Structure formats: structure tokens, C-alpha cells
Amino acid sequence: MSYFNEIYGDSELSSKAKMVLLYLHDRANQKGESWYAINTMAKELCLSRSSVKRAMSELIQRGKIKKRPRFRENGGNTSNLYSLIV
């Protein structure tokens, strides 16, 4: 079964979580990492920030992605790093 068929066929994932997962997959580098901000994802997917955040939480809880915080040189927060779990 292909990776996409697994996503489409997962009846326990919400449609928004599937959409966000496909977005992250499409935007990931060769290591399966993506670092797009919640606002960017929300805008490009035509979803609210809250919907994207709920979808991300669902994906983390279901073991589809890992989330790692990233920091600027001055110690401030920047977008998180999301790694796909294949």
C-alpha cells in the first residue's frame, strides 16, 4: 500500500488532519522535514489557525508527525520543525 493510500484510507484521521499531513508531505525536504508556520499553513489551506493546530495535535497524537521547537540565535522562538513518520 502506498503512503498516500494509507493516508486516504485512515478512517480515524479527520479530513483536516489528512489535508495538513498531505501539505506537510508536499512541502517536506528529502529528510521528511517541514518548518512552515501555522499562519502560512492556515492561509494556504484556507483553514483557520485553530483548525490547523487541532489537526497538528491529532497528527502528533496518532504518531504521523513529530514536532520539535526551533529557536533563533537570540533565543526567540521561530516556526517548529515537523518530521514525517513514514
Side-chain angles (χ1 to χ4, degrees):
M1 181 180 270
S2 78
Y3 179 73
F4 292 110
N5 283 338
E6 284 184 39
I7 295 170
Y8 299 138
D10 190 339
S11 61
E12 296 192 17
L13 271 184
S14 70
S15 59
K16 290 178 182 170
K18 289 178 184 182
M19 184 185 306
V20 170
L21 185 55
L22 292 170
Y23 178 90
L24 291 173
H25 184 275
D26 184 54
R27 299 293 199 267
N29 64 16
Q30 290 183 343
K31 295 180 184 178
E33 300 170 332
S34 180
W35 49 88
Y36 286 84
I38 299 289
N39 285 339
T40 302
M41 288 188 269
K43 181 179 177 185
E44 291 187 356
L45 293 172
C46 299
L47 296 172
S48 69
R49 271 182 54 84
S50 297
S51 291
V52 172
K53 289 171 81 172
R54 280 192 300 272
M56 298 294 277
S57 293
E58 181 181 346
L59 293 169
I60 292 166
Q61 183 179 35
R62 301 255 314 142
K64 301 292 184 183
I65 62 171
K66 287 183 186 177
K67 174 182 158 184
R68 188 175 56 180
R70 296 186 321 143
F71 303 95
R72 294 185 174 92
E73 288 182 17
N74 67 6
N77 289 338
T78 187
S79 60
N80 294 311
L81 178 70
Y82 301 102
S83 299
L84 299 170
I85 300 172
V86 183

